[in-house]
Amino acid sequence: MGKPKRHHFVPQFVIRNFARSDGRVWYLERTRADRRAELRSPSGVFWQRHLYSYRDGENLRDPAVERAYGQAESEWAPLIDRAVRDLRVGRAPLFAGPERRSLEGFFYHQFMRVPHQLNRVKCKEVERLDDALLDGPVPEESVEGVRLKLLDVLDNALIDSLVNGSDNIAEVFARKDLFFAVLANSKKSFVLGDVPIGRFHQRVASVPDSRLPLWDASVEMSMPIAPDIAIGFCGDGGGYKVFGVKDDSDVRAVNVATMRRSDAVCSRSDILISSLSSIWPGKADGGHDDQQ
């Protein structure tokens, strides 16, 4: 078996839910000047070369984590598919015990595995690394070589963090209520972004210019898993709920937030993407409205 090089950071089983009848999705990147979406297969969007591969000094790459994600997705996909199928016929899917924990794992890894989140963590660690090299005992002429080796170590440590996970963040999802949101208007749709999970909460006067911690009961996190359905976690009861989204302005607000935090989006509708693409001008540098 060859080494997988194209690592999808949004599972293809989710992307396929946003496909047209011919199996393709409309796809648009922030950097595209004409803001015209193009048709692509699910395998051709939301991937990065060797994103989860371990590296060494000879640039050898070990995609063990990508293969592990493939195995995990084979467990997650049936749960997501069942949820979509049941909700579309008006039946609330029941997830308890191991299935609930599996959905928590799906959501946790989707939050952590996207390049945007990995790069956020890496940038902070690179700043610390550069400060240490400037103040440390390494001769000036050797700094760049040492830095490159340490960057490989840092990249591998980030990949290890996906394997080992964060007990604190995983516990947050275990404590919150699992929910599914279903659009009431069949003419409305969610878009799916390369940063698919959005974070929403009401600002608190006592916490100016900062975000509340994830474990706060007022923090809600959600992700579209189909054009008409989103999965998420909210509150702090560890319970379960299903509700309908009846206000079309709420759908628009979610889609606008997706556009602002993402550098690429896909949808079954090019008209929908076109209506949202005007949000991007003025951010040609690829900057995000950071919600994670």
Side-chain angles (χ1 to χ4, degrees):
M1 180 185 297
K3 293 182 178 180
K5 299 177 182 178
R6 184 180 287 198
H7 299 179
H8 286 83
F9 47 86
V10 178
Q12 292 184 70
F13 70 80
V14 173
I15 301 170
R16 283 193 289 269
N17 289 340
F18 291 80
R20 311 182 326 159
S21 59
D22 66 358
R24 296 182 295 174
V25 296
W26 287 103
Y27 176 74
L28 179 64
E29 294 181 347
R30 184 191 289 263
T31 54
R32 181 156 179 156
D34 63 7
R35 294 293 190 255
R36 295 184 64 180
E38 61 182 345
L39 284 170
R40 291 194 185 182
S41 67
S43 65
V45 302
F46 301 153
W47 64 272
Q48 186 169 308
R49 187 177 176 85
H50 282 299
L51 178 61
Y52 307 121
S53 291
Y54 289 106
R55 297 157 176 81
D56 67 15
E58 299 177 357
N59 208 32
L60 297 177
R61 299 172 184 270
D62 177 5
V65 175
E66 169 62 12
R67 291 198 177 106
Y69 269 135
Q71 293 175 352
E73 287 169 10
S74 68
E75 298 177 5
W76 298 333
L79 300 179
I80 296 298
D81 289 346
R82 191 210 317 165
V84 172
R85 185 173 59 252
D86 286 356
L87 289 165
R88 283 179 173 167
V89 297
R91 183 169 59 239
L94 299 178
F95 298 106
E99 291 185 336
R100 156 87 191 217
R101 289 191 291 274
S102 185
L103 287 174
E104 292 167 6
F106 162 74
F107 201 85
Y108 165 80
H109 281 280
Q110 189 57 76
F111 178 69
M112 299 297 296
R113 71 190 283 192
V114 295
H116 175 54
Q117 178 70 6
L118 293 173
N119 289 337
R120 285 184 65 221
V121 176
K122 182 175 180 178
C123 285
K124 293 177 182 178
E125 295 304 319
V126 168
E127 287 181 7
R128 294 192 182 104
L129 171 62
D130 288 340
D131 289 342
L133 288 173
L134 286 174
D135 298 335
V138 179
E140 184 176 351
E141 63 273 14
S142 302
V143 165
E144 188 58 28
V146 171
R147 184 177 189 273
L148 290 174
K149 291 180 180 179
L150 290 176
L151 285 176
D152 274 347
V153 173
L154 175 57
D155 285 336
N156 291 338
L158 286 174
I159 296 169
D160 275 336
S161 73
L162 295 175
V163 176
N164 299 324
S166 166
D167 291 340
N168 291 336
I169 298 178
E171 184 181 352
V172 166
F173 298 131
R175 289 172 51 186
K176 287 183 173 291
D177 295 330
L178 166 67
F179 73 82
F180 290 96
V182 183
L183 301 191
N185 187 343
S186 62
K187 295 182 179 180
K188 297 298 179 180
S189 297
F190 292 122
V191 294
L192 181 66
D194 62 354
V195 186
I197 292 180
R199 172 177 173 161
F200 309 93
H201 61 71
Q202 295 182 341
R203 290 192 176 274
V204 177
S206 61
V207 191
D209 300 322
S210 65
R211 293 177 308 211
L212 295 170
L214 292 180
W215 49 260
D216 191 282
S218 66
V219 173
E220 172 187 313
M221 303 178 73
S222 64
M223 168 188 171
I225 54 173
D228 53 338
I229 298 169
I231 185 176
F233 290 85
C234 66
D236 63 357
Y240 174 76
K241 59 184 72 174
V242 175
F243 60 87
V245 181
K246 299 179 180 180
D247 192 334
D248 291 348
S249 65
D250 289 339
V251 184
R252 178 72 181 186
V254 170
N255 284 339
V256 167
T258 297
M259 296 295 289
R260 286 177 172 165
R261 68 177 178 265
S262 300
D263 280 337
V265 294
C266 75
S267 170
R268 64 182 177 184
S269 169
D270 60 330
I271 295 175
L272 175 58
I273 290 181
S274 178
S275 74
L276 293 165
S277 64
S278 61
I279 294 167
W280 278 346
K283 295 192 175 185
D285 61 351
H288 296 259
D289 280 2
D290 193 350
Q291 290 193 25
Q292 284 200 304

